[in-house]
Amino acid sequence: MKVVIVGGVAGGATAAARIRRLDEQAEIVVFERSGYISYANCGLPYYIGGVIEDPEELTLQTPESFFSRFRIHMKVRHEVTAIHPDRKTVSVKNLETGEAFEERYDKLLLSPGAAPVWPNLTGMDSDRLFPLRTVEDTFRIREFLEQQKPKSAVMVGGGFIGLEVAENLRELGMDVTIVQRPRQLMNPFDADMASLIHSEVRSHGVKLALGHSVEGFAAADGGVDVLLKDQPALHTDMVVMAIGVTPESDLAKDAGLALGMKGSILVNDRMETSVPDIYAVGDAVQVKHYVTGRDTLIALAGPANKQGRIAADNICGGDSRYLGSQGSSVIKIFDMTAAATGINETTALRSGLDADTVILSPMSHAGYYPGGKLMTMKVVFEKETYRLLGAQIVGYDGVDKRIDVLATAIHAGMKATELKDLDLAYAPPYSSAKDPVNMAGFMIDNISKGLKQWHLADAAKLPRDGSVTLLDTRTAEEYSAGHIDGFQNIPVDELRERIGEIEAGKPVYVICQSGLRSYIAARILEGHGFEAYNFAGGFRFYDAVMNDRALVEAAFACGMDQ
């Protein structure tokens, strides 16, 4: 059996190695357009910033090492230009010599990846504009930094790559601005959780221009002007474009393979395309979302690696199935960690799901052990069924650990209420006896048993006409330092003695700093016959989100954070 693979990196290289492990006799040839067959995409921003110093650290395997271990022919700087399914060959061009030839196959695997979105705007030919997708892109940026020594940069796009590059450039001492069309960074996160990310980014001196569209670029004063719609231009020394990627599917399209959303390659759960003996994996393929069951595109290394293994199994006569992508992700943002899995509340509601959330701010480990830090967790679940839909966590220590537990729970089909039953490892330096994941489960279990909540979206709509009671149960000092208009203050420890100050027969909406004291107050009120609603997230969360919204609105009015 002869297997030809188009594209290396996560999907193609993984499939090649797996095929060899399953079939010692197979002839395997990989054609890779770039000069690198297996490299650490996710490490590229950290080479730009000098965190990874040796460029060879980016290269996971070389053609020589791959051949030595697996006897696989890795042909770098070779571009596949056409597929001929009728005669089971591909046309190939050697980019070093210009030689063109055809290579036959018994099985063909496409792993072309995705290309950076490069919009058709004026000034896109500037040598001060850079994409970041390949090792070569990284070297170009690093060379520009070393030779030109720019003082400022604009990131167009506020996703994973945009934030990671912004951090690394800022750590080099550069003035950095992120321009993003949506009014928040990191779309996998709901806007309220993204506000915590905004705060961390701003605290390290990165400016945000959210809600602005880039209309083009123009050379000016030895640098480049970023032209914004209805706003003054931003002058900078360099621009990194990171507004997303698009599937590299031209080969598949020209060969008559069926395509899916946004031109992606259509595959089944065996990673088979519409043409016999042709498989496809990675960023170029359409997949099912594990939570919603809907078609989606998820360009992450984890899914690409799994798909490469599954395709290899099936190429070698097995029957492996891809269950779908869940979108689990984590990112370092200066001192902070942000992570998500499944779908967020915004996506759930847009998908027609009747979703609810809990928001909590637990410590990363036992409070009495030094060094604990707060994290903010938002867990999304379906009402009535309590199906676990997704989670987002923003914090410092222990964020990655908790998101992986929640990702596993979603994959296992656990109900959100069952999070309380998980037996998780505990020692004071690492967790609490009631882990944050357990705490989320306790809260959702309480809701399933009748506890009522109110959310940040309800705050502006709460009546101030006396028809409901608005109650802040923090200390007098906390209340005087800031509170929501219309809320009276009765500290939770005084509530039983002062219960007579609350008018009977009216619903009571309760808030505290983090949600714990207001929960206790809600239980006290219920015990005295009141209908009580506990605020999801606490005043700390409310204040952070509202302050961020005010900053975003102010910046939108003038074009950029001040």
Side-chain angles (χ1 to χ4, degrees), residues 450-464:
L451 183 72
K452 299 178 177 66
Q453 289 192 111
W454 65 284
H455 296 276
L456 190 145
D458 304 318
K461 298 180 286 186
L462 290 176
R464 266 69 171 180

Side-chain angles (χ1 to χ4, degrees), residues 30-50:
V30 179
F31 294 112
E32 167 59 43
R33 182 172 53 194
S34 75
Y36 301 86
I37 53 94
S38 183
Y39 56 87
N41 289 70
C42 300
L44 300 183
Y46 299 99
Y47 177 71
I48 290 171

Side-chain angles (χ1 to χ4, degrees), residues 398 421 550:
D421 302 319

Side-chain angles (χ1 to χ4, degrees), residues 265-309:
I265 304 172
L266 200 62
V267 294
N268 60 19
D269 60 357
R270 287 169 47 85
M271 310 314 298
E272 297 169 320
T273 70
S274 61
V275 174
D277 296 324
I278 301 181
Y279 298 75
V281 300
D283 296 354
V285 306
Q286 175 180 293
V287 297
K288 297 289 184 183
H289 197 287
Y290 188 81
V291 174
T292 65
R294 297 187 175 187
D295 295 333
T296 189
L297 301 176
I298 295 182
L300 293 171
N305 274 279
K306 295 183 194 65
Q307 292 161 17
R309 178 185 174 92

